[in-house]
Amino acid sequence: MILGFDPGRQKCGLAVMGLDRLLCYQQVVAADAVIDEITALRQRFPISTIVLGDQTASGNWKDTLSQLPDPPRIMLVDERYTTLEARDRYWQMYPPSGLAGIIPQSLRKISRPIDDIVAILLIERYLNRLTGE
C-alpha cells in the first residue's frame, strides 16, 4: 500500500491506495495531528511507501517522517499543478446535482479543502512513473 501525503503548514492531505489503484482512505488532517494519523494508518494498512509532494515544507516533513519507527520508503513526487488537477478530479468524484449541474465548472465553488485529492494525484503520479505511463 502507498500513502500519499500532500504536506502543508496548516493542513495536510492523506490518501492510501493499493498498487491496483483502488483507493482505501482519504482525509484532510490538521498539520499538528498528521503524524498521529499516519501512525494509525500504518497500523491499519500495510504501507510500504510514503509518496510526498515536493513543494510546501516537504524537506521538514521528509525529516519528520524518516523518524517514524520502522520508517517506510519516502519518495518525493513533483506536485506542480496538482491543485488545479484536484479541482477537476473533485467534480469527477463528486458531480454536482440538480441546478448546480448547469453552472459551468469554472464558476462552481468547492465547499471543502481538496488536499486529500492532491494526495491521491501524488500516488497516481508515482505509480505512472513506475509503470512508464
Side-chain angles (χ1 to χ4, degrees):
M1 300 291 263
I2 300 169
L3 172 73
F5 182 20
D6 176 35
R9 290 183 178 84
Q10 303 294 320
K11 61 187 177 351
C12 301
L14 298 175
V16 176
M17 183 183 291
L19 293 174
D20 56 4
R21 296 180 186 246
L22 288 178
L23 183 64
C24 300
Y25 171 91
Q26 69 182 90
Q27 190 69 42
V28 177
V29 178
D32 60 359
V34 78
I35 294 300
D36 290 339
E37 186 67 17
I38 289 173
T39 300
L41 288 171
R42 290 182 71 205
Q43 291 171 358
R44 201 169 136 199
F45 301 105
I47 295 168
S48 61
T49 303
I50 296 178
V51 176
L52 178 65
D54 67 354
Q55 299 292 307
T56 310
S58 64
N60 292 338
W61 280 114
K62 185 175 182 186
D63 292 342
T64 301
L65 293 170
S66 65
Q67 302 299 315
L68 290 170
D70 188 26
R73 180 177 46 195
I74 300 168
M75 304 298 295
L76 291 177
V77 174
D78 181 7
E79 70 173 296
R80 286 179 291 175
Y81 310 114
T82 52
T83 301
L84 292 174
E85 287 180 44
R87 290 176 188 273
D88 289 338
R89 180 68 63 88
Y90 175 87
W91 294 117
Q92 289 172 8
M93 294 172 74
Y94 309 103
S97 60
L99 292 176
I102 64 172
I103 298 171
Q105 183 173 309
S106 61
L107 298 177
R108 292 183 208 141
K109 178 134 172 80
I110 296 175
S111 61
R112 68 168 189 85
I114 56 173
D115 305 72
D116 55 332
I117 299 173
V118 171
I120 294 168
L121 294 172
L122 293 173
I123 296 171
E124 290 174 351
R125 285 185 178 189
Y126 173 72
L127 291 172
N128 290 345
R129 193 170 72 192
L130 287 180
T131 59
E133 291 179 30

